[in-house]
Amino acid sequence: MQELLEYLTLKQPQINATLAAETAQLNALVQPVVSHVLTAGGKRLRPLLTLLTAATLGYTDDDIYPLACSVELLHSATLMHDDIIDDAELRRGKPAAHTQFGNTKTVLAGDVLLAQANLVVARYNDSRLTQCIAEAIVETATGEIEEIEYLHSTNHSQQTYIDIIKGKTAFLLQASCIMGAIKAGGSDEQIAAASDFGMNLGIAFQIVDDALDFAVSTKSIGKPVAGDLREGKLTPPLLMYLNILEGAERDDFVTKFEAGTFSEEEICFVAKQIRGLGLDDATRELADSYLDKAQQALEILPACPERKILLQTLDYVKSRSA
């Protein structure tokens, strides 16, 4: 993954400078909330995907940076909203925006970022780009609603989970890749390949994230262990664990999961059981199937150094520990 790290080191300063420039024009009352989120860290994976996809198809002009950052603005807005919905105290190991600025101001600042992302893309005067980011917003919000609908539910399938994470994560990565391919003047086949790559990468990314939810160290992931269990989200490690349980033990788990009444001791016990049974590793194996699909999609794009770096993003997702 050396080339990926070097590329990120090279591009991140201009990505961050572009994000700062695009938000500097916002109302002064909005800027502290936005700055709190944008300066909290993050790997800038979405802008990186736009840059790499475009470069793979031969486009490297600097005018692509605002487009690449538009999805990062959208992503930041969703994080602000998500943390309120989840009543999260931390984001990337730092206080979530709503704990510092209040729910109302944070929601509205998130709305401003959504609108700003649209404005940035509109400047490119390409209806395909504006349609792409608009669809990403619709799908992301829909995914969040679907996740809320199935909170504390034990009666839905793994496919329902996949549909949810397409919305909450994968559509934004897909949009990043599609917009890079469109801006580079890619063919319909190449744009479709970029779309497939981004979607499958995004699904795998979220699956690995859900495996990490049961990691021993809370410091490395910036949130409490077993947060999904606390919030009533039936992610793959929990679904696998539920399917192992039998009789009264299963009934007890279902009752407490649906009611959200697990004690802290019980949550820690379940997390330890999931690790002991290797269900976090089994979850990563599920992610591998989507990484394989992403790799197949990449084969349609031209062979070049940038495509090699895109291939390394698969290794990055596969080996994530934070």
Side-chain angles (χ1 to χ4, degrees):
M1 289 190 291
Q2 185 61 35
E3 291 92 341
L4 174 61
L5 296 175
E6 291 174 355
Y7 191 88
L8 179 59
T9 300
L10 177 65
K11 299 297 183 180
Q12 199 167 51
Q14 192 162 351
I15 290 172
N16 288 333
T18 303
L19 288 169
E22 292 296 339
T23 55
Q25 58 192 291
L26 299 178
N27 186 285
L29 294 175
V30 176
Q31 288 189 27
V33 191
V34 170
S35 177
H36 180 84
V37 175
L38 289 177
T39 60
K43 302 169 184 67
R44 308 305 190 215
L45 176 61
R46 291 153 193 83
L48 198 68
L49 289 173
T50 303
L51 296 174
L52 281 169
T53 305
T56 298
L57 296 174
Y59 194 91
T60 57
D61 290 358
D62 282 355
D63 68 348
I64 197 173
Y65 274 88
L67 182 67
C69 289
S70 65
V71 181
E72 189 71 11
L73 295 175
L74 171 54
H75 173 59
S76 296
T78 65
L79 296 183
M80 295 159 75
H81 291 165
D82 288 353
D83 287 344
I84 294 172
I85 293 169
D86 297 339
D87 196 23
E89 295 183 0
L90 297 175
R91 168 61 62 180
R92 294 168 178 156
K94 297 182 179 180
H98 68 98
T99 68
Q100 304 293 298
F101 302 98
N103 288 358
T104 301
K105 197 169 185 177
T106 302
V107 166
L108 294 174
D111 292 344
V112 170
L113 275 188
L114 289 175
Q116 184 67 13
N118 277 292
L119 284 172
V120 169
V121 176
R123 294 205 301 261
Y124 288 85
N125 294 315
D126 187 327
S127 61
R128 295 174 301 168
L129 294 175
T130 53
Q131 180 176 343
C132 180
I133 196 163
E135 288 178 347
I137 293 171
V138 169
E139 295 291 356
T140 302
T142 302
E144 293 293 344
I145 292 171
E146 192 169 12
E147 182 175 63
I148 292 169
E149 178 67 20
Y150 286 100
L151 283 178
H152 299 288
S153 165
T154 57
N155 293 319
H156 61 276
S157 66
Q158 185 167 280
Q159 184 56 50
T160 298
Y161 161 80
I162 296 297
D163 292 340
I164 290 170
I165 66 172
K166 282 182 180 179
K168 67 182 291 184
T169 300
F171 278 112
L172 293 189
L173 271 66
Q174 181 188 49
S176 297
C177 296
I178 291 174
M179 291 201 294
I182 290 174
K183 183 59 178 169
S187 66
D188 289 346
E189 183 184 31
Q190 289 170 334
I191 294 170
S195 174
D196 289 344
F197 171 77
M199 173 56 68
N200 286 292
L201 179 69
I203 292 172
F205 186 95
Q206 185 59 52
I207 292 173
V208 171
D209 198 62
D210 292 338
L212 284 171
D213 188 56
F214 292 92
V216 177
S217 172
T218 59
K219 186 179 294 185
S220 65
I221 59 177
K223 60 182 181 180
V225 168
D228 290 333
L229 178 55
R230 290 180 173 86
E231 295 167 16
K233 299 175 183 177
L234 194 68
T235 58
L238 288 167
L239 180 59
M240 293 176 190
Y241 180 70
L242 174 61
N243 289 337
I244 289 173
L245 300 178
E246 296 179 344
E249 193 175 17
R250 179 185 174 89
D251 292 341
D252 182 65
F253 180 92
V254 169
T255 298
K256 290 178 178 177
F257 186 87
E258 293 181 349
T261 55
F262 284 106
S263 68
E264 188 63 27
E265 183 179 359
E266 289 169 329
I267 289 171
C268 292
F269 173 78
V270 171
K272 185 176 180 180
Q273 286 285 96
I274 284 174
R275 292 193 297 270
L277 292 166
L279 302 183
D280 51 340
D281 292 333
T283 298
R284 285 178 175 271
E285 290 174 8
L286 173 63
D288 287 346
S289 65
Y290 291 96
L291 292 174
D292 289 343
K293 293 176 184 178
Q295 182 173 345
Q296 292 169 18
L298 269 186
E299 293 173 0
I300 296 173
L301 301 182
C304 61
E306 288 81 8
R307 192 184 79 169
K308 181 181 179 182
I309 298 173
L310 278 175
L311 188 63
Q312 290 181 8
T313 65
L314 305 182
D315 295 330
Y316 159 72
V317 170
K318 185 182 179 71
S319 61
R320 276 181 69 208
S321 59

